[in-house]
Every structure is written in structure tokens, then in C-alpha cells.
Amino acid sequence: MANGERQMPGHVEAAYRGAVDNILFLKKQQWLATNYVLLLYLAVFLISGHYFSRTDAARNWLGVVTIVGFVVHWWMLHSFQRSIETFRNRLAWVYSTYFSEDERTGLDLRLEPRSYWYQPEAYIGLIAVSLVGAVLTAVYLWSVR
């Protein structure tokens, strides 16, 4: 403590590292969930075009699978985004407790809690990609005879 600042204890440092690692993990999971739902849409599209004779029952069941896939994907991204918000708030506490005002200013560390809608571009983009995939799959299912 040469400069008189509080030193971060080992358990707080572990919590800090855990929060950072969890944010990175959850961001990767958002992308992975989007890739999986796009694969689901592709599978529905291919199954519909290749194996079914376009009966109303088959189209409706595949349409239900598409809609359920979109809803589950949205719910998962929402859940991941809420968890990211929690970990960001933990980081804000560490920043306010263990970094001086000069360090926070120099490193551009924000102290206010991050809301659910902080930097929503990736979240909204992934939902939009999923929505477009679901809509295109549904249009194909219910309009192509």
C-alpha cells in the first residue's frame, strides 16, 4: 500500500475475476444460442421441403416448432442478459470500492449500475436475426404449396 489505496483481498479479486469470466461466457452463450436456433430453422426448412408432402398438419406442426424455437431463444437471451446485468453491477461495486477517483477516470470505469438495456445492440441484433429466420421459415411453411 505504497500509495495509501485499499488493496483488493484475494476473495474480492476472485469474485471480480468470476464476474468478468461470467460476462464473457454469457456473451458467448448468446451467440451460441442464436446459432442453434438458426440451425433449427434450417432443419425445419429442409425437413419441410424434402420429407413432407406439404399437408396442413405437417406444416402446422413445423410452424409450432418454429414459433416455440423463437420463443425459447428469446427467453434464453433475456435470461443471459439479466445475468450479465447482475455481473456488471458486481463489477461496479468493485470499481467503486477498490479504485480511486483518478484511476476510475483514467480507466473510464463507470460506477452507476448497468441497466438491462446497457449496450443492447448485440442483444437486439441477435433477436432480430432469430425473428427474421423464424418469419422466413414460417412464410415458407404456410405459403409454399
Side-chain angles (χ1 to χ4, degrees), residues 43 46-54:
L46 292 174
I47 289 169
S48 156
H50 193 265
Y51 293 108
F52 289 112
S53 62
R54 314 300 279 148

Side-chain angles (χ1 to χ4, degrees), residues 122-138:
Y123 172 71
I124 291 172
L126 294 175
I127 290 290
V129 166
S130 179
L131 180 63
V132 167
V135 167
L136 290 176
T137 303

Side-chain angles (χ1 to χ4, degrees), residues 4 6 9 11 22-23 39-40 47 50 54 56 62-63 65 73 75-76 85 96 98 110 122-124 131 142:
R6 273 178 78 179
H11 67 283
N22 278 309
I23 289 172
L39 285 174
L40 173 75
I47 289 169
H50 193 265
R54 314 300 279 148
D56 286 337
L62 290 173
V65 167
H73 178 250
W75 178 80
M76 288 176 67
E85 174 188 11
S96 67
Y98 293 101
R110 307 275 188 236
Y123 172 71
I124 291 172
L131 180 63
W142 286 308

Side-chain angles (χ1 to χ4, degrees), residues 27 81 88 115-126:
K27 286 290 188 182
Q81 196 70 16
R88 283 182 174 154
S115 74
Y116 177 78
W117 285 106
Y118 175 73
Q119 296 180 334
E121 297 86 8
Y123 172 71
I124 291 172
L126 294 175

